[in-house]
Amino acid sequence: MIPTMLVPLMGGNDHDKAKVVQTLLFVTGIKTLLQTLFGTRLPTVIGGSYAYVVPVLSIIHDRSLAQIADGHTRFLQTMRATQGALIVSSSIQIILGYSQLWAICSRFFSPLGMVPVVSLVGLGLFERGFPVVASCVEIGLPMLIIFVVLSQYLKHVHVRHVPILERFSLLVCIALLWVYAHILTASGAYHHTALHTQISCRTDRSNLISSALWISIPYPLQWGAPTFNADHAFGMMAAVMVSLIESTGAFKAAARLASATPPPAYVLSRGIGWQGIGTLLDGLFGTATGSTVSVENVGLLGSTRIGSRRVIQISAGFMIFFSILGKFGALFASIPFTIFAAIYCVMFGIIAAVGLSFLQFTNMNSMRNLFIVGFSLFLGLSIPEYFSRYMTGAQNGPAHTKAGWFNDYINTIFASPPTVALIIAVVLDNTLDVRDAAKDRGMQWW
């Protein structure tokens, strides 16, 4: 999804887009293996992050790059500038992680403070749920209903003592609706519909299968030597901080869904350090985005009840395999986004519920706790919504000074619901009646 959105704006063609998709899939496999083997060792997938979209868009609109007439040349120059910014900004997570500074910060996170953060890791992505389902309701709504029926109502159906639908309901639903969408496309159902509907519903709009090579191995610096600019790097650092906070919430959710103990502060810090290595790899290979924990895969962990690291590691192997065999990897890009949006409605909801489940370890008869949770949840949704609407209407964020790096920093930080929630909840939780509320915060359980 991220390369499909960014590569055309960079000036890239369908072949460039196919190559970036392959590269992102390849690097995601490597990052996931590193995290599950040496990082937190939780069953999490480390993928691309939407938090990096704002600073990358800022690089795309940089005057020195936007004025390049040739599209492919502009794409290469923009990609190199993005790579340089990612390489520099990855040092933030590497330093915070391996120096154990993030472990020190994590000690201030109580179950009460993490409730809005983890909840908004899921709830903050509501725009990628039903609004996208409704863009092609004849595919999205059946996907949503069938997935809920198979994974919840029929999850007790066993074949040779294996809960087949609980484990594989997602694969079954995707296969059924993918075939259904292809039949609608091949029968000409969308020939005379609006362009937006065709993009949301058709299985042949990605143009990646014809553009991808049969075999292509991504390698570092494949787009050329990265270029470095201080403004671009400072703007990208905001996205690094946002992905750090989102991943912290996702790690805690993954541990809870996998029936593991809450990850200790030093484990969280180590995981963030390896995520910084992942962002460095993103910069070296050129994926057009940075690293974060895949929220939808954490939700899938809760849906399938499979919390094995080995399963995630085998999946990472498949990612690398499909990225090298370009045609096969591009085939999966023909799945309409509407099908994924229907899945998100379930997965993101599970993550939000995990965040709310931390309330059981706190005293919710306390007016102090009610105030902190309610205030941080509301502003965690309301402030990013203001930034989103402002950017949609004015084509720039509320921060639009002459300092581009400052604009990117503010607009990225406050466009992230979990980040806003963490700032508000953790500050209030550690300053408001702390001594009198030690037991109410749930720190003893933590």
Side-chain angles (χ1 to χ4, degrees):
M1 284 180 159
I2 296 174
T4 299
M5 175 172 54
L6 292 177
V7 171
L9 297 176
M10 290 179 169
N13 53 31
D14 289 335
H15 175 73
D16 297 325
K17 183 168 64 174
K19 196 171 181 181
V20 174
V21 169
Q22 287 178 254
T23 303
L24 180 55
L25 194 60
F26 182 82
V27 176
T28 296
I30 295 175
K31 294 185 294 188
T32 301
L33 284 174
L34 291 174
Q35 189 65 246
T36 54
L37 289 170
F38 310 112
T40 59
R41 304 188 73 206
L42 287 166
T44 53
V45 173
I46 310 299
S49 172
Y50 280 89
Y52 292 84
V53 169
V54 172
V56 172
L57 286 175
S58 178
I59 294 173
I60 290 171
H61 295 136
D62 188 288
R63 289 183 180 179
S64 62
L65 297 169
Q67 64 185 7
I68 299 175
D70 181 65
H72 185 66
T73 304
R74 179 157 56 90
F75 166 74
L76 291 176
Q77 295 296 330
T78 306
M79 179 61 81
R80 291 169 188 171
T82 303
Q83 287 180 259
L86 284 169
I87 290 170
V88 173
S89 60
S90 67
S91 61
I92 298 295
Q93 287 183 343
I94 293 173
I95 292 170
L96 287 176
Y98 291 122
S99 68
Q100 291 295 310
L101 285 173
W102 191 242
I104 297 172
C105 296
S106 300
R107 294 194 178 97
F108 294 97
F109 301 163
S110 72
L112 181 75
M114 282 293 102
V115 167
V117 178
V118 178
S119 295
L120 291 184
V121 166
L123 291 178
L125 302 170
F126 67 91
E127 288 186 350
R128 295 177 213 160
F130 200 80
V132 182
V133 171
S135 66
C136 187
V137 71
E138 65 269 25
I139 294 175
L141 196 58
M143 176 68 192
L144 179 58
I145 294 171
I146 294 172
F147 184 40
V148 171
V149 170
L150 293 185
S151 65
Q152 302 302 317
Y153 288 94
L154 300 179
K155 64 182 179 181
H156 300 297
V157 174
H158 285 61
V159 176
R160 294 184 179 179
H161 306 291
V162 176
I164 200 78
L165 289 181
E166 185 182 40
R167 296 285 189 267
F168 304 112
S169 57
L170 182 64
L171 291 177
V172 171
C173 292
I174 288 179
L176 288 175
L177 271 296
W178 191 8
V179 171
Y180 170 58
H182 187 68
I183 291 172
L184 290 178
T185 302
S187 64
Y190 302 113
H191 282 177
H192 304 292
T193 56
L195 178 62
H196 176 72
T197 303
Q198 294 191 36
I199 292 173
S200 302
C201 301
R202 294 179 68 102
T203 58
D204 58 357
R205 296 294 299 180
S206 64
N207 296 325
L208 293 183
I209 298 176
S210 58
S211 304
L213 299 173
W214 277 106
I215 296 178
S216 175
I217 302 177
Y219 55 92
L221 308 184
Q222 59 187 340
W223 311 109
T227 58
F228 299 92
N229 180 290
D231 283 355
H232 297 165
F234 276 112
M236 198 69 77
M237 286 177 185
V240 167
M241 293 303 298
V242 168
S243 68
L244 181 153
I245 292 168
E246 291 176 349
S247 294
T248 299
F251 281 138
K252 290 184 178 292
R256 184 138 179 78
L257 287 171
S259 300
T261 55
Y266 76 91
V267 172
L268 280 177
S269 194
R270 188 177 67 205
I272 293 303
W274 278 104
Q275 185 171 307
I277 296 293
T279 303
L280 177 62
L281 291 175
D282 287 318
L284 290 173
F285 280 83
T287 63
T289 184
S291 300
T292 194
V293 176
S294 171
V295 178
E296 49 268 47
N297 277 281
V298 175
L300 182 62
L301 192 155
S303 174
T304 60
R305 309 297 298 159
I306 298 173
S308 168
R309 282 196 310 271
R310 187 170 299 171
V311 173
I312 300 298
Q313 290 162 357
I314 293 171
S315 302
F318 275 109
M319 291 182 216
I320 295 172
F321 173 76
F322 281 122
S323 65
I324 293 174
L325 295 179
K327 293 288 184 183
F328 288 97
L331 176 65
F332 292 100
S334 68
I335 303 175
F337 290 164
T338 311
I339 291 178
F340 293 117
I343 298 167
Y344 291 168
C345 291
V346 177
M347 301 310 178
F348 294 162
I350 290 174
I351 299 300
V354 169
L356 295 174
S357 74
F358 287 136
L359 290 173
Q360 66 185 299
F361 307 110
T362 67
N363 177 17
M364 289 315 291
N365 292 315
S366 164
M367 190 61 210
R368 169 194 180 273
N369 289 2
L370 288 172
F371 170 75
I372 292 173
V373 171
F375 187 60
S376 55
L377 272 174
F378 185 84
L379 285 187
L381 285 171
S382 191
I383 291 176
E385 180 67 12
Y386 163 71
F387 272 72
S388 176
R389 291 188 183 185
Y390 195 104
M391 293 178 74
T392 302
Q395 300 301 312
N396 58 276
H400 47 274
T401 64
K402 293 182 179 180
W405 65 270
F406 176 79
N407 300 341
D408 292 342
Y409 212 91
I410 297 299
N411 294 333
T412 302
I413 290 287
F414 290 100
S416 167
T419 306
V420 174
L422 182 133
I423 293 170
I424 297 171
V426 171
V427 169
L428 289 175
D429 189 37
N430 287 279
T431 56
L432 187 61
D433 298 332
V434 181
R435 292 182 180 178
D436 299 333
K439 293 182 179 179
D440 293 347
R441 301 169 63 205
M443 286 300 284
Q444 290 176 317
W445 176 80
W446 211 243

